[in-house]
Amino acid sequence: MSFESPPKTILITGAAGFIASHVTNRLVSNYPNYKIVALDKLSYCSSLKNLQPCFTSSNFKFVKADIASSDLINYLLDEEEIDTIMHFAAETHVDNSFGNSFEFTTNNIYGTHVLLEACKVTRRINRFIHVSTDEVYGESDLETDIGNPEASQLLPTNPCSATKAGAEMLVMAYHRSYGLPIITTRGNNVYGPNQFPEKLIPKFILLAMRGDPLPIHGDGSNVRSYLYCGDVAEAFDVVLHKGAIGHVYNIGTKKERSVLDVATDISKLFGINVEKTIRFVNDRPFNDKRYFWDDQKLQKLGWEQRTPWEVGLKMTIAWYRENPNWWGNVGLALHPHPRIPTTVLSQNEEEFF
């Protein structure tokens, strides 16, 4: 089932975060007839600066709010006549979940539940896109060449992915029990401009800019797949307009790189000796060796990866060199095992309120 008519008003939760801001900027620019309502509580890893391209657009509105506030969410859906939701708001950094797991349960599961209940009541929602992660599949066998299809069993291995899987169960239940028009996406690692530097690639870039060592968990053999943020924003555009209700779509690539590969590539682009700059540190309590999945379903809708790794990485490094202070003081985020309080507001919030 695709849209019989285009959406009129789209609510994007977590819109000032990394991936959602790129999606928001794309939709506001490409679809002037859509009204985009961007909602974000402005936690430590989100910033209104990420949405700067939108603030001069007449089809854009920003609301500072927490999705866990049921009264506000109910009011917002009615007041803005929301007919489409793209639900990005979540805690996503695995390292933080080992030290502050209750916050992940509150935001990822309870927040999603509040949003689903509000949708059930309003009966106006034509499409609810729930954004999940490849980590819900759990660890893939290192030897397999058969990727997890979307119907695979969910076997999360850490508090972060477990809460994302729990949110998926709620989404599935509301689709079956109440007929909510749900689509779920599961994405692999995303990189590019604006990303908060607790994640691997921006962390390594900023550390390399400072001339500091690059900390690698364990032996650096863990492999991941990486997509450039512009390609991911396009993927969500495709899912929004062509995705089928009740379906799950993997947004990713089968091209894989180890953590050591990433450190090596970044070091080369900075002209530094990787053997002298890497520092092996204690691993996570559990660190999935690999996520490997099937990426054909979304490709059949017309999407494909457009930005090669080498090109995307160069563009990302260029952006961080031009914007070294985008996130202010990020010293805590650059630690090998960051533990950032998720209740801390963005340092950039004061510039707008």
Side-chain angles (χ1 to χ4, degrees):
M1 173 183 175
S2 58
F3 276 125
E4 295 181 0
S5 59
K8 295 180 180 179
T9 307
I10 304 174
L11 174 67
I12 302 180
T13 72
F18 170 50
I19 300 175
S21 64
H22 285 281
V23 174
T24 302
N25 291 335
R26 178 187 176 93
L27 295 182
V28 168
S29 175
N30 289 1
Y31 302 98
N33 293 329
Y34 298 176
K35 180 178 180 180
I36 308 297
V37 179
L39 182 148
D40 202 293
K41 67 178 182 180
L42 296 178
S43 66
Y44 76 95
C45 60
S46 58
S47 172
L48 283 174
K49 291 197 293 185
N50 293 344
L51 296 171
Q52 280 178 345
C54 298
F55 280 95
T56 57
S57 299
S58 60
N59 64 328
F60 174 79
K61 179 176 182 177
F62 179 78
V63 178
K64 184 191 174 192
D66 190 335
I67 59 169
S69 174
S70 57
D71 289 343
L72 188 146
I73 294 299
N74 279 287
Y75 171 81
L76 188 64
L77 295 189
D78 285 337
E79 179 69 14
E80 299 294 340
E81 297 183 346
I82 302 295
D83 57 46
T84 305
I85 292 176
M86 303 181 78
H87 177 36
F88 289 86
E91 300 290 342
T92 63
H93 192 47
V94 174
D95 276 346
N96 287 343
S97 76
F98 288 119
N100 196 9
S101 56
F102 291 131
E103 195 76 20
F104 283 69
T105 300
T106 300
N107 290 322
N108 296 354
I109 297 179
Y110 181 74
T112 300
H113 200 172
V114 168
L115 199 56
L116 291 168
E117 272 293 306
C119 292
K120 182 188 74 174
V121 171
T122 186
R123 297 182 180 276
R124 190 187 293 116
I125 305 303
N126 296 324
R127 180 158 295 205
F128 184 117
I129 298 176
H130 176 69
V131 181
S132 191
T133 170
D134 59 358
E135 295 177 0
V136 298
Y137 291 122
E139 189 174 53
S140 299
D141 190 295
L142 288 173
E143 305 303 323
T144 187
D145 58 359
I146 301 175
N148 283 318
E150 285 83 352
S152 299
Q153 184 179 5
L154 305 189
L155 297 168
T157 60
N158 59 66
C160 176
S161 58
T163 58
K164 291 298 290 182
E168 282 201 38
M169 296 300 101
L170 278 170
V171 166
M172 184 188 305
Y174 273 70
H175 173 62
R176 295 295 297 273
S177 292
Y178 304 112
L180 290 188
I182 301 294
I183 298 173
T184 297
T185 67
R186 297 177 185 141
N188 63 200
N189 290 32
V190 183
Y191 71 99
N194 302 12
Q195 189 171 28
F196 188 75
E198 65 186 358
K199 298 297 177 73
L200 181 72
I201 291 174
K203 176 184 290 189
F204 280 5
I205 290 172
L206 288 182
L207 287 172
M209 287 169 57
R210 297 179 176 198
D212 293 336
L214 309 186
I216 293 180
H217 293 175
D219 62 4
S221 64
N222 304 69
V223 295
R224 300 290 187 267
S225 298
Y226 297 91
L227 280 179
Y228 187 68
C229 55
D231 292 355
V232 174
E234 182 183 359
F236 279 104
D237 190 336
V238 170
V239 171
L240 172 67
H241 293 97
K242 298 182 180 179
I245 299 299
H247 284 241
V248 179
Y249 294 92
N250 289 336
I251 300 177
T253 173
K254 287 184 176 179
K255 298 176 182 178
E256 299 174 297
R257 286 169 179 82
S258 71
V259 175
L260 191 56
D261 291 335
V262 173
T264 299
D265 289 347
I266 290 174
S267 296
K268 287 180 179 178
L269 289 173
F270 276 92
I272 55 182
N273 187 329
V274 66
E275 293 182 358
K276 293 182 179 180
T277 194
I278 63 171
R279 177 163 59 92
F280 293 101
V281 300
N282 291 334
D283 208 345
R284 292 169 172 172
F286 184 82
N287 195 348
D288 293 315
K289 283 291 185 181
R290 183 192 193 201
Y291 304 122
F292 189 64
W293 60 10
D294 187 276
D295 58 356
Q296 296 301 306
K297 188 172 180 180
L298 183 57
Q299 290 186 25
K300 291 178 181 178
L301 294 184
W303 177 86
E304 62 180 3
Q305 180 182 6
R306 300 185 186 278
T307 308
W309 164 254
E310 295 77 12
V311 174
L313 189 58
K314 287 180 180 179
M315 290 192 295
T316 303
I317 290 174
W319 185 89
Y320 280 96
R321 279 177 159 161
E322 293 172 3
N323 300 276
N325 299 312
W326 187 266
W327 290 105
N329 183 0
V330 294
L332 288 175
L334 300 182
H335 287 184
H337 298 277
R339 290 288 186 270
I340 297 178
T342 51
T343 55
V344 175
L345 290 177
S346 167
Q347 295 182 10
N348 303 295
E349 179 182 349
E350 295 179 358
E351 299 178 14
F352 296 89
F353 292 96

